[in-house]
Amino acid sequence: MIYEPSLHTAGIIVSAFLILIGLLGLLKPDFPSLVQRFPRSRVAGVILLTVCLLWTFWLVATIQMGEFSSFRRPLLIALPIGYVLVLRFVDEFLAVRALGILCLLAAEPLLDAAFLRYETSRLLITVFAYLLIVAGLFWVAIPYVLRDQINWRCLHALALIYGGVILTFTFRQY
């Protein structure tokens, strides 16, 4: 395992994130209009892509690659080159694409936290991790769908309820 998170910590982080998103979407009526500028924000894209680069660089530098360890050095060289090329040539929806990459990276620690746990409620974290993976794939490949998803008020309500359920199980079972 690359990460050593506990299921309790993962549950707190996921539930806090979901409850925050749910409350912002439901209680602030102008929240969708504020977030509408995010998909085309160059600054947000550069910040998120830099976080993704640092996280990926750390992963490639530290993970056990087994028989593929000879690829470590070329990957460590290719990552910053790819970062510069993406910043130079991918202007459209850079923030959404970088958010998608971040979702893909964030799913793995959640899956690690739930790995080999006996509680059935661990599946709440696992389902959220797989939802992050699906959302991340969509946002990287088809970034304009986030613009439509921002206005889904039912999604905010579901996030609030799901976050509350995860928080309940976090303090009762993990």
Side-chain angles (χ1 to χ4, degrees):
M1 288 175 50
I2 300 167
Y3 308 96
E4 294 296 330
S6 69
L7 194 56
H8 183 77
T9 305
I12 290 174
I13 292 170
V14 167
S15 61
F17 172 75
L18 287 171
I19 289 171
L20 178 70
I21 293 296
L23 285 176
L24 282 174
L26 292 175
L27 298 180
K28 268 188 104 79
D30 61 334
F31 179 69
S33 64
L34 291 174
V35 183
Q36 286 290 349
R37 291 189 299 262
F38 170 76
R40 295 190 185 269
S41 171
R42 175 92 173 143
V43 174
V46 170
I47 290 170
L48 287 174
L49 195 62
T50 303
V51 169
C52 293
L53 170 71
L54 294 174
W55 193 344
T56 307
F57 196 85
W58 172 75
L59 281 176
V60 171
T62 59
I63 62 173
Q64 294 292 329
M65 297 179 76
E67 62 188 48
F68 298 105
S69 61
S70 62
F71 292 121
R72 185 183 313 270
R73 185 173 304 252
L75 285 173
L76 290 173
I77 293 169
L79 279 171
I81 293 170
Y83 171 78
V84 171
L85 290 174
V86 166
L87 287 179
R88 173 77 174 107
F89 295 111
V90 182
D91 282 338
E92 283 295 309
F93 296 108
L94 179 63
V96 181
R97 294 177 199 272
L99 181 64
I101 295 168
L102 192 62
C103 286
L104 293 170
L105 287 169
E108 207 273 328
L110 298 177
L111 292 172
D112 268 358
F115 187 64
L116 294 179
R117 292 294 299 250
Y118 63 90
E119 302 97 342
T120 307
S121 58
R122 78 183 185 291
L123 296 175
L124 293 169
I125 303 291
T126 305
V127 166
F128 180 71
Y130 283 113
L131 288 173
L132 278 179
I133 291 169
V134 171
L137 289 173
F138 270 99
W139 293 341
V140 169
I142 316 169
Y144 57 85
V145 299
L146 178 66
R147 180 189 60 218
D148 300 330
Q149 292 168 346
I150 289 172
N151 292 322
W152 292 353
R153 300 206 46 94
C154 66
L155 194 62
H156 298 291
L158 287 173
L160 182 64
I161 293 167
Y162 198 60
V165 169
I166 291 174
L167 190 63
T168 302
F169 280 107
T170 296
F171 286 113
R172 294 185 138 220
Q173 291 190 358
Y174 306 149

